[in-house]
Amino acid sequence: MSISERDREEIEKSSAPLLEHLIELRRRLIWSIAGFFVAFLVCFFIAKRLFNLLVVPFKWATQWAGLDPHKVELIYTAPQEFFFTQVKLAAFGGMVIAFPLIATQIYKFIAPGLYKNERNAFLPFLIASPILFLMGAALVYFFFTPMVMWFFLSMQQAGSGNDVQISLLPKVSEYLSLIMTLIFSFGLVFQLPVVTSLMTRVGLLSSKALAEKRKWAIVIAFVVAAVLTPPDPMSQIGLALPTIILYEVSIWSARLIERSRTRDEATRQEADAKPESEADNAPTEPTA
């Protein structure tokens, strides 16, 4: 990839000594930590409301199971359990809320070391990453968690005759761990198009290579789903299927990037060839 003189001058203007880089890094870290701390305090202050919001999918599952959603009950068996559950919830919510600020600080730190075309190429992915994460979290909240909890509720046993009554009374910490694991897993999987597109743009991947490895990708999707999700088939299939769909989206995105790169190279070659042809056609001055 050829580097223009303008790009070289832009990089030289943005270059700075090591001490200035360290000062800049410290400033970006302070902003990131401060943003996370403020978001953590806000989330901890409303932790019970956030937890009640996360319990809503559980109520939907009880309705699907034909039970009374007003009788949903969660327990904690240690005095400090619910407190640390709120701390964990506040940390998770603080990270989600502060992520745009943290990502912006990372971008502002590395942007001076990038060429203008590289910054323009990187910025859309920086915007797409949180959007895709929220899409994965929404899928977990509105569909996947109610489906998983309905599956677990269906295992209850009514105490009739000689049968023992078996009821689901989840602990607050275990329920939060379950829904946080699902949100993190789906949010991570939904980053697949972003990662593959970036690797395609820098030349580490191609649409042809992704298409050839489709069978392996399907196997890996089920293996990763088995590791990241609870040990039930519905959770594993529910994560593996979106992963396979996103893999196909990644192939399509890689092809678009390759076509765009081909057009840009053709345009650049035409622009380079035009001055040469004009120079060849220029009239020569008569010699004395």
Side-chain angles (χ1 to χ4, degrees), residues 87-277:
V87 171
K88 186 187 298 185
L89 178 58
F92 184 76
M95 182 59 67
V96 172
I97 295 175
F99 177 79
L101 174 63
I102 296 173
T104 301
Q105 296 304 314
I106 294 174
Y107 175 75
K108 288 183 177 180
F109 179 74
I110 66 175
L114 301 176
Y115 297 111
K116 185 176 181 180
N117 60 337
E118 292 175 339
R119 292 198 298 268
N120 294 335
F122 184 75
L123 190 58
F125 297 105
L126 186 65
I127 298 174
S129 181
I131 293 176
L132 289 173
F133 184 89
L134 291 177
M135 289 174 60
L139 180 63
V140 170
Y141 185 85
F142 291 103
F143 175 73
F144 201 68
T145 300
M147 183 181 65
V148 170
M149 295 308 298
W150 170 79
F151 176 77
F152 292 150
L153 285 169
S154 64
M155 296 182 179
Q156 294 185 125
Q157 177 177 287
S160 58
N162 295 326
D163 296 334
V164 177
Q165 181 174 352
I166 302 175
S167 301
L168 175 62
L169 289 176
K171 296 170 62 177
V172 291
S173 59
E174 293 175 349
Y175 179 78
L176 180 64
S177 297
L178 172 64
I179 195 168
M180 284 176 53
T181 300
L182 292 175
I183 291 176
F184 177 77
S185 302
F186 276 77
L188 188 65
V189 167
F190 270 64
Q191 303 303 311
L192 183 61
V194 174
V195 175
T196 54
S197 298
L198 281 174
M199 295 179 70
T200 303
R201 187 172 288 275
V202 299
L204 297 177
L205 277 179
S206 64
S207 60
K208 182 179 179 182
L210 290 172
E212 291 176 351
K213 301 297 188 297
R214 183 182 282 108
K215 294 181 180 179
W216 288 102
I218 294 174
V219 175
I220 294 173
F222 280 96
V223 172
V224 172
V227 173
L228 295 179
T229 59
D232 65 275
M234 296 187 67
S235 300
Q236 297 172 7
I237 295 174
L239 179 58
L241 289 180
T243 305
I244 296 171
I245 295 173
L246 289 170
Y247 188 83
E248 297 296 329
V249 173
S250 301
I251 297 175
W252 175 76
S253 177
R255 288 172 179 168
L256 290 180
I257 292 173
E258 290 171 348
R259 291 173 185 172
S260 176
R261 182 189 301 162
T262 303
R263 288 195 300 267
D264 293 342
E265 290 178 355
T267 304
R268 191 182 301 111
Q269 290 176 359
E270 291 177 0
D272 294 340
K274 188 175 181 180
E276 295 180 0
S277 61

Side-chain angles (χ1 to χ4, degrees), residues 6-16 112:
R6 185 177 180 180
D7 289 336
R8 288 196 184 95
E9 293 177 358
E10 188 177 354
I11 289 295
E12 290 176 359
K13 290 180 181 178
S14 62
S15 60

Side-chain angles (χ1 to χ4, degrees), residues 17-39:
L18 177 60
L19 182 59
E20 293 185 13
H21 281 299
L22 293 177
I23 294 174
E24 179 71 11
L25 177 61
R26 183 186 64 178
R27 184 171 62 179
R28 300 303 176 190
L29 286 175
I30 290 174
W31 274 104
S32 300
I33 295 173
F36 168 75
F37 184 70
V38 172

